[in-house]
């Protein structure tokens, strides 16, 4: 991302009350909440359509809220967001399926991990988990190999693109607008106190370059959020955060899936392990793994197939005889790096950013899709308090 100063290029300047940068699922959910408050909202997206980054490169799972530390934003927004998301799907005819998930233990050590997950889930208010014996697991999913498992009946899957289209429709119905092919290539912020207007200028590129002067800006750019902040002249350097990128690959299973539930191993550092998920058509896919990267690269090497088979074989040995097909890859924006304890979601208001009118959503990885409506409500409340 290249910073351009106001002297580099003369552009027409427009005034906008609120700008949301990034039309992924988080940016769209935030913009919807703000537009429904009666605000003038513009969403800027660098790509040619909505949800073309991390939001379209994930497992499309509606999570229950099992894994996250009690009291964290991840736990709170996942549990709240799950209920909001299921209701939203019902109200807006967004395809979803509450298929349930099995978290499986392959040995005694992993069974102890299941116990800790059960305790953590209960602390988060997830009270519907069921402990299954080996026999119960085999009855539910005959091809699954496990000593025991946790059944999460409230876990589901969603058509994430249809969900984002519905959010866009809500934004536009409330008078907001989503503008594609409009990358923010730089900007500047001027010193000012809370409540002052017109202190943020964004330099917008694309086919119709312009300057936008905004009272409020919400940075929802995911893996590019740190680069965006670094391109804004006057943004405090001591308020910058480093983001780490964790790439995850996905492989599709050729042919029919033998499973009706999502199948997860016990979690690993940096992710939830290579799990089996289903799409709305019943197609099975495996992923993601965790590969720390320094550059954006969505290639999926067929050389990873054997690695995936070996991981999956710990709970489904028959995968060794099945064909896996490279599918896609995604990159998760993390505030914690290799070896660090997992960081929470971070919502920053002007008090934290040091810039009047500037808000950040940082490190919104899994369960961001599930948490999107709950996160959006928190941001909308924070913006309202800023007024």
């Amino acid at each position: 991302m290249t910073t351009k100063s106001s002297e580099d290029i003369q552009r027409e300047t427009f005034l906008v009350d609120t700008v949301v940068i990034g039309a992924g699922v988080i940016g769209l959910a935030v913009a919807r909440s703000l537009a429904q408050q009666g605000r003038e909202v513009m969403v800027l997206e660098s790509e040619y359509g909505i949800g073309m980054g991390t939001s379209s490169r994930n497992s499309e799972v509606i999570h229950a809220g099992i894994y996250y530390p009690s009291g964290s934003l991840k736990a709170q927004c996942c549990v709240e967001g799950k209920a909001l998301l299921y209701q939203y799907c019902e109200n807006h005819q967004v395809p979803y399926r509450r298929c349930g998930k099995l978290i499986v233990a392959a040995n005694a050590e992993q069974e102890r991990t299941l116990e800790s997950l059960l305790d953590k889930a209960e602390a988060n208010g997830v009270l519907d988990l069921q402990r299954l014996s080996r026999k119960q697991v085999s009855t539910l999913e005959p091809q699954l190999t496990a000593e025991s498992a946790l059944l999460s009946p409230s876990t589901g899957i969603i058509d994430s693109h249809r969900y984002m289209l519905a959010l866009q429709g809500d934004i536009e119905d409330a008078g907001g607008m989503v503008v594609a092919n409009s990358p923010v290539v730089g900007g500047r912020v001027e010193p000012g106190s809370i409540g002052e207007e017109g202190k943020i200028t964004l330099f917008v590129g694309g086919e119709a370059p312009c300057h936008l002067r905004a009272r409020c800006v919400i940075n929802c750019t995911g893996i590019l959020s740190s680069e965006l902040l670094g391109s804004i002249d006057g943004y405090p350097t001591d308020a910058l955060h480093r983001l780490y990128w964790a790439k995850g690959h996905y492989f599709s299973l050729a042919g029919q899936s033998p499973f009706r539930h999502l199948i997860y191993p016990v979690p690993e550092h940096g992710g939830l392990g290579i799990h089996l998920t289903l799409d709305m058509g019943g197609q099975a896919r495996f992923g993601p793994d965790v590969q720390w990267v320094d550059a954006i690269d969505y290639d999926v090497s067929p050389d990873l197939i054997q690695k995936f088979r070996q991981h999956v074989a710990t709970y489904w040995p028959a995968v060794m005889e099945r064909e896996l097909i490279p599918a896609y890859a995604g990159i998760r924006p993390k505030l914690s790096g290799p070896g660090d304890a997992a960081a929470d979601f971070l919502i920053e208001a002007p008090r934290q950013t040091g810039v009047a009118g500037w808000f950040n959503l940082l490190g919104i990885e899994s369960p961001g899709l599930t948490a999107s409506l709950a996160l959006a409500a928190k941001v909308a409340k924070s913006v309202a308090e800023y007024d």
Side-chain angles (χ1 to χ4, degrees):
M1 185 176 296
T2 303
T3 303
K4 296 182 182 296
S5 70
S6 57
E7 290 77 24
D8 289 334
I9 185 168
Q10 294 298 315
R11 299 177 178 177
E12 190 171 2
T13 300
F14 299 93
L15 299 178
V16 181
D17 179 77
T18 303
V19 174
V20 176
I21 309 176
V25 68
I26 300 299
L28 292 170
V30 167
R32 168 185 176 269
S33 290
L34 295 171
Q36 290 182 340
Q37 287 182 341
R39 297 177 179 277
E40 177 194 26
V41 178
M42 177 183 292
V43 184
L44 299 177
E45 171 55 47
S46 61
E47 299 288 347
Y48 64 83
I50 63 173
M52 298 191 67
T54 302
S55 296
S56 62
R57 297 175 173 275
N58 57 61
S59 300
E60 296 188 297
V61 172
I62 301 176
H63 288 282
I66 299 168
Y67 302 99
Y68 319 109
S70 178
S72 66
L73 268 179
K74 285 184 177 180
Q76 179 184 353
C77 290
C78 184
V79 174
E80 293 177 2
K82 172 183 63 176
L84 292 171
L85 188 53
Y86 277 131
Q87 189 60 57
Y88 187 92
C89 290
E90 286 287 337
N91 294 343
H92 292 75
Q93 291 77 54
V94 175
Y96 77 96
R97 184 151 58 92
R98 203 183 299 240
C99 55
K101 172 173 77 174
L102 291 172
I103 307 173
V104 300
N107 51 50
E109 180 180 352
Q110 291 187 358
E111 286 189 290
R112 289 191 289 273
T113 301
L114 290 190
E115 289 294 339
S116 67
L117 288 177
L118 186 59
D119 293 340
K120 188 174 290 186
E122 290 177 350
N124 292 341
V126 182
L127 306 178
D128 61 351
L129 296 189
Q130 302 169 31
R131 186 68 185 263
L132 303 182
S133 66
R134 178 194 295 181
K135 182 177 179 180
Q136 289 171 315
V137 171
S138 180
T139 299
L140 203 60
E141 293 286 5
Q143 292 208 29
L144 195 59
T145 297
E147 289 298 315
S148 62
L150 291 178
L151 170 63
S152 171
S154 63
T155 298
I157 55 176
I158 184 175
D159 184 329
S160 60
H161 189 66
R162 286 280 292 276
Y163 171 47
M164 288 187 282
L165 285 174
L167 292 173
Q168 181 179 2
D170 286 346
I171 294 166
E172 293 169 349
D173 287 346
M177 59 191 307
V178 179
V179 187
N181 292 315
S182 299
V184 175
V185 296
R188 65 171 179 269
V189 295
E190 302 168 22
S193 59
I194 290 178
E196 290 188 320
E197 298 185 10
K199 293 295 182 180
I200 302 171
T201 301
L202 301 175
F203 307 151
V204 182
E207 296 177 358
C210 67
H211 291 170
L212 292 180
R213 288 177 67 84
R215 193 178 67 84
C216 285
V217 171
I218 297 90
N219 172 19
C220 299
T221 51
I223 61 174
L224 296 177
S225 54
S226 288
E227 291 189 32
L228 170 68
L229 296 177
S231 76
I232 305 299
D233 185 29
Y235 192 92
T237 56
D238 59 358
L240 296 174
H241 296 270
R242 179 179 177 182
L243 276 183
Y244 301 87
W245 292 348
K247 182 179 180 181
H249 304 88
Y250 291 85
F251 286 81
S252 294
L253 177 68
Q256 187 174 4
S257 169
F259 299 106
R260 296 180 295 111
H261 299 80
L262 312 183
I263 311 297
Y264 279 57
V266 297
E268 62 182 30
H269 183 75
L272 300 181
I274 295 176
H275 44 267
L276 180 150
T277 60
L278 304 168
D279 63 20
M280 292 304 300
Q283 176 73 44
R285 57 194 171 199
F286 300 100
D289 59 349
V290 177
Q291 178 184 346
W292 299 96
V293 297
D294 296 319
I296 296 175
D297 170 18
Y298 294 122
D299 290 343
V300 181
S301 171
D303 295 341
L304 292 170
I305 288 177
Q306 192 59 26
K307 166 192 168 182
F308 268 63
R309 281 204 179 102
Q310 290 172 351
H311 279 267
V312 174
T314 61
Y315 56 85
W316 183 38
V319 72
M320 302 302 289
E321 310 302 323
R322 296 291 296 270
E323 180 184 2
L324 301 186
I325 303 169
Y328 57 92
I331 297 176
R332 287 156 280 179
K334 291 178 174 287
L335 287 166
S336 50
D340 297 335
D344 200 3
F345 292 156
L346 181 59
I347 301 174
E348 291 188 319
R351 290 187 303 276
Q352 290 80 40
T353 65
V355 176
W358 194 286
F359 298 76
N360 289 319
L361 282 87
L362 302 173
I364 312 298
E365 49 169 329
S366 180
L369 172 62
T370 307
S372 55
L373 294 175
L375 283 168
K378 288 188 177 296
V379 174
K381 180 181 178 182
S382 182
V383 173
E385 292 171 348
Y386 166 76
D387 289 339

